[in-house]
Amino acid sequence: ASPPMPSIVTRTEWKASPRLAGAKPHVIRYVTIHHTGVKSNPARSLEEKLRGLQLFSQREDKLASGQTKPAWPDVPYHYYISIDGRIGEGREWFFTGDTNTEYDPTGHLLIVVEGEFGVEKPTDAQMKSLKDLAIWSCWKWRVPSDRIATHKDYSQQTACPGAALYEKMPQLVQDVRAALGR
């Protein structure tokens, strides 16, 4: 039996703008976890956060590091988990996501969890949603649990997803393996 699909706020529901040209198609083979790298903001809705992230993503901009980020076709992540545990659909899964680091995200389903987990801890609601989304995603795309990793597992240039979320990864992988038997 398939695991239940978690409740996901669609691109239509959060009023996404159209994707810009340049998106590259890919096939999902990995699930990769990120954090937003900025402190959570419970005062803003998931929909507002996704619209803001899309505006930032679709323009060239300066990062906190001083590095310039190119304009991307869309939100860099496929799914966004807000501080309250709500899940939003980001970039369509059949297009490669984007990153400001050296790893190639082709083949990676990118899930971002709202927060700066070097200084914050993920909420119970976020962890439940991450577990549910990881189980469903691994089932849907036939990704084995040993192909769940984090941004920092692929890049020397980042601490993402932050220590507080990174320490929860072994349990997440174990939960997916227990649910799917792989």
Side-chain angles (χ1 to χ4, degrees):
S2 65
M5 178 180 174
S7 177
I8 298 171
V9 177
T10 66
R11 292 175 59 84
T12 301
E13 291 169 327
W14 64 262
K15 298 180 175 58
S17 294
R19 167 183 21 87
L20 302 178
K24 299 181 305 185
H26 74 151
V27 175
I28 301 299
R29 298 178 324 191
Y30 304 93
V31 172
T32 304
I33 312 303
H34 293 252
H35 70 162
T36 58
V38 295
K39 288 191 80 174
S40 59
N41 184 351
R44 290 182 69 207
S45 70
L46 170 65
E47 293 82 356
E48 289 175 286
K49 292 169 191 173
L50 283 165
R51 285 190 298 270
L53 179 58
Q54 189 179 47
L55 280 172
F56 169 78
S57 299
Q58 291 183 326
R59 68 176 186 250
E60 184 177 301
D61 211 331
K62 286 276 190 200
L63 302 172
S65 66
Q67 173 185 353
T68 300
K69 176 201 75 62
W72 293 327
D74 208 340
V75 173
Y77 313 105
H78 299 105
Y79 294 102
Y80 184 110
I81 300 175
S82 67
I83 187 69
D84 58 5
R86 293 178 69 214
I87 303 169
E89 177 188 26
R91 185 176 298 206
E92 292 109 330
W93 64 265
F94 42 85
F95 288 115
T96 300
D98 278 295
T99 178
N100 286 311
T101 59
E102 80 283 5
Y103 93 98
D104 179 0
T106 302
H108 295 251
L109 183 77
L110 304 182
I111 300 173
V112 68
V113 182
E114 178 186 358
E116 184 4 319
F117 299 120
V119 296
E120 295 180 275
K121 293 184 185 220
T123 65
D124 290 343
Q126 285 177 309
M127 291 310 301
K128 180 183 182 327
S129 292
L130 180 57
K131 175 183 167 183
D132 293 347
L133 183 58
I135 290 169
W136 176 77
S137 296
C138 287
W139 172 82
K140 179 175 176 62
W141 287 287
R142 295 180 174 90
V143 175
S145 58
D146 64 356
R147 289 193 182 174
I148 300 170
T150 70
H151 186 180
K152 82 180 215 164
D153 294 318
Y154 297 105
S155 172
Q156 301 295 313
Q157 300 174 342
T158 187
C160 178
L165 183 52
Y166 192 77
E167 71 184 18
K168 295 183 178 289
M169 291 305 299
Q171 184 63 55
L172 177 68
V173 171
Q174 183 179 337
D175 290 344
V176 171
R177 186 174 299 120
L180 301 179
R182 56 182 149 109

